[in-house]
Structures are given as C-alpha cells and as structure tokens.
Amino acid sequence: VFGKMRAASVRPAHVNRYLRVHRLEAPVRANREVALLSNLMKVAVNRGDMDVNPCKQVSRNPERPRTMAPDVAELQRFLGWAEGQKVTLAAMAEFAALSGSRRMKFLRLQWPQVGDHEVRTFRGKQRGEVEIVDVIQISPALRALLDRLRARADDPRIGPVFPTTKQNAPYTDSGFKSMWSKLVAKALKAGIITRRFTF
C-alpha cells in the first residue's frame, strides 16, 4: 500500500486510511500490521530520518477479546492429535489447562522448579526487587503429564521442561506463537477442530 514512500513522507492520514479503508475487512490484522509499521518507524526516528512516528498519532481499530473457551471434547481431540504433531506444544496446552498457569509463567520452566508435590513458577511481571513465585499443586493428571515429559527429557534433573526439539532450549515467546499458530491452522485444515482458538 505504501509502495516506495520514504518513511518521512508517511503522515497520520495515510496510516488512518490504511486502517479504515484498505483493511476494512480485517480490522484486527490491520492493528497488528500498523504495530509492525510503528516499530519500523521508531527505527527511522532513532536514525534521524524523521522527527515523529505517524503511527503513534492514530488510534487503532477497536478489538473485542474472545470470550468463548474451546469445547472440552474438541480440545481433547486437538490435544490427542497434536501429541503426534508437536509433542512439546501439546504438552504446554495440557499443562495450561491443568494448572491454570499463563504461558509466560511456564514457557521457561526448568526441572528444578518441579517438586514432588508442587510446581513453582515465576510471575512474568515482577514488581520491585523481590521475585514473586506462584505455587501450583500437582494433581494426578498433572503428575501424569510431568512424568511423560520427564521420560522424554535429556536430563530429568536440569534443563527446560518444555524444550525445543532442536536446541533443547526453552521456546522464545515469538517462536512459540509462530509454532502454535501453524499447529492450529494445520488442525483446522485437517478437520480436527472447527474454529481457531488462542493458546
């Protein structure tokens, strides 16, 4: 849409038109694309190519968060199918469902944080100098999942609970989001699930 325009030539009106006219049918995706553009404009501001980021002066399209949880039977079908596709991602989804923990709290979970009766996770957003730890009691279902993960671990005493398959390192947030999106798209195409849902 912006063609070969110089960054300094982009005005708030151009960004607004992109959001409201060019991407009228996909307002949420337009918000994501303008967020990316805004990051690129920030680089241009830092380099001295322009004085003001035009994206910052335009309000985004309103978004309504998803309020519907996936159907339990559909989620179980998806998890069973995903186990054969991306074992670690399926295990993460199962862990989230069983523990009620957010992704950012267990993405970098290490085996020393897993005890006999509880899992200790660190909050993503810390306040002050003291780290806040949340304790998750291990239920029989969570124990079964952890036992399966421990059996596959390179070393069940140290290292990440949810490793990437190549480097045996924890997933980055962006890497996880990309892999999860591909997995859900593949499940939709295969008819395993009927609608997309976020992690």
Side-chain angles (χ1 to χ4, degrees):
V1 169
F2 291 99
K4 295 182 179 180
M5 289 178 71
R6 292 175 61 250
S9 300
V10 178
R11 299 283 176 261
H14 297 132
V15 177
N16 187 62
R17 182 174 174 78
Y18 182 79
L19 282 166
R20 317 283 186 255
V21 177
H22 291 287
R23 288 306 232 155
L24 181 65
E25 301 301 319
V28 175
R29 183 163 181 90
N31 285 348
R32 302 296 174 272
E33 291 167 349
V34 168
L36 171 62
L37 181 62
S38 181
N39 282 331
L40 295 171
M41 292 295 187
K42 189 165 35 172
V43 173
V45 171
N46 290 339
R47 286 178 34 165
D49 295 336
M50 58 194 308
D51 296 325
V52 179
N53 182 343
C55 299
K56 297 284 187 188
Q57 299 169 306
V58 179
S59 61
R60 303 294 194 269
N61 291 316
E63 294 185 32
R64 189 173 58 225
R66 294 186 178 113
T67 56
M68 188 181 292
D71 176 69
V72 174
E74 190 168 59
L75 178 61
Q76 288 176 338
R77 189 169 61 249
F78 171 75
L79 289 175
W81 170 85
E83 185 75 22
Q85 303 289 318
K86 294 287 181 187
V87 178
T88 303
L89 294 184
M92 285 184 186
E94 191 174 347
F95 184 89
L98 292 171
S99 68
S101 183
R102 296 177 64 204
R103 181 183 75 243
M104 289 308 297
K105 290 169 72 173
F106 67 79
L107 200 61
R108 297 183 177 279
L109 185 68
Q110 301 283 321
W111 281 115
Q113 295 170 250
V114 179
D116 292 333
H117 305 289
E118 60 190 30
V119 177
R120 299 168 66 80
T121 61
F122 297 102
R123 289 206 186 155
K125 293 181 180 177
Q126 300 284 346
R127 288 179 173 80
E129 296 179 7
V130 180
E131 277 194 314
I132 301 172
V133 177
D134 288 324
V135 177
I136 300 164
Q137 297 300 317
I138 298 178
S139 66
L142 184 54
R143 166 66 59 210
L145 170 65
L146 291 169
D147 286 347
R148 289 198 322 266
L149 288 167
R150 206 180 282 275
R152 284 199 305 263
D154 283 356
D155 186 336
R157 295 165 302 156
I158 60 171
V161 175
F162 303 106
T164 59
T165 50
K166 292 180 181 176
Q167 293 91 10
N168 194 37
Y171 276 88
T172 62
D173 193 46
S174 60
F176 171 82
K177 285 178 183 174
S178 173
M179 294 299 290
W180 178 259
S181 181
K182 288 176 185 174
L183 186 66
V184 171
K186 192 173 179 182
L188 269 171
K189 190 174 181 181
I192 305 299
I193 54 177
T194 56
R195 60 188 176 84
R196 181 179 286 275
F197 51 85
T198 62
F199 187 81

